[in-house]
Amino acid sequence: MTDSSSAPAPQPQPPARPKAALTRHALVMALVAFAAWVFDQLTKIWVVATMTEGQVTDVLPPLLRWHFIRNPGAAFSIGTDYTWIFTIIMVLVSGFLIYLMFRLRSAAWSVALGLVLGGAVGNLTDRLFREPSFGQGHVVDFIAFPNFAIFNIADSCVVSGVILVCLLTLRGINMDGTRASAGKDSTDA
C-alpha cells in the first residue's frame, strides 16, 4: 500500500507545438530554397549555352544588360585568390540554415531563410562543380546594372532574403512567429 500524499505532484507541461507546424514551415523553407536554386541554375545553364564569356547584351538599355563573366571571388570580385574559403563559408552557412529550418514557426521567416539558403546553395553549386576545379569553381554572373556589380539570381535571392530578415527583425517578429514584447525591450535599456 502506498501513500498518495507523498507522491510528487505532476508538473504542468508547456503546450506542445503541433508537429504539423514544424513540418509545414520546414517544407515552405525547403520549397523556396529549391525554387531559388533551380531558377538560378537554369539561368546559368542558359547563359553558358547562349553567350560567350565577356559578351554584353542590352536588355533594357541603358538600365539592364546581360554581361557574362565568371567570378572567382565574392561580391565585387573581392578575394579572388581565396575561392576555397568562400566554398567553406557557403557550406557552413547552408548547414546552419538547414539546422534553423527545423526550428522555424513563421511562414515569413521560412520564406526569408529559404531565399538565403537557395542563393547560397546556388553559388555553392558553382563553386563545387564549375571550372577550374572542385571547390574552387568560378560563379557565373550575368545581370548588370550601370555602375554596379555584375551578379546572378542566387545573389539576388540572398540579398532579398537578408532584406526580409532585417524587416522581420525590425518589426519584432521572432523565428517562432511571436512578436518581441515592447515591455521587455524597455527594461533592458
Side-chain angles (χ1 to χ4, degrees), residues 2-168:
T2 59
D3 184 4
S4 62
S5 63
S6 65
Q11 297 294 321
Q13 297 295 323
R17 294 263 184 195
K19 189 160 179 78
L22 174 71
T23 304
R24 180 172 33 102
H25 296 300
L27 182 61
V28 167
M29 183 175 166
L31 288 174
V32 169
F34 182 72
W37 177 79
V38 166
F39 187 44
D40 174 65
Q41 292 302 301
L42 288 176
T43 57
K44 289 173 179 175
I45 290 168
W46 169 72
V47 166
V48 170
T50 62
M51 296 180 72
T52 58
E53 192 168 351
Q55 179 180 342
V56 177
T57 304
D58 284 331
V59 179
L60 294 172
L63 180 63
L64 176 64
R65 305 180 304 185
W66 297 154
H67 184 173
F68 175 22
I69 65 166
R70 295 179 192 266
N71 184 358
F76 304 101
S77 296
I78 296 171
T80 58
D81 294 333
Y82 302 101
T83 302
W84 60 273
I85 292 175
F86 300 122
T87 303
I88 292 169
I89 290 169
M90 282 187 261
V91 167
L92 294 173
V93 166
S94 298
F96 181 67
L97 290 170
I98 290 168
Y99 166 80
L100 288 178
M101 179 168 47
F102 297 102
R103 283 147 183 77
L104 292 174
R105 304 292 187 279
S106 164
W109 275 94
S110 297
V111 170
L113 295 181
L115 286 168
V116 175
L117 178 60
V121 173
N123 283 337
L124 178 60
T125 301
D126 285 11
R127 296 280 182 215
L128 293 177
F129 301 112
R130 292 199 186 271
E131 294 177 358
S133 65
F134 182 80
Q136 295 187 26
H138 296 178
V139 174
V140 172
D141 287 331
F142 64 95
I143 303 169
F145 291 111
N147 304 313
F148 193 70
I150 302 170
F151 57 99
N152 57 43
I153 300 298
D155 299 331
S156 299
C157 290
V158 169
V159 169
S160 299
V162 169
I163 289 170
L164 286 172
V165 165
C166 292
L167 290 173
L168 290 167

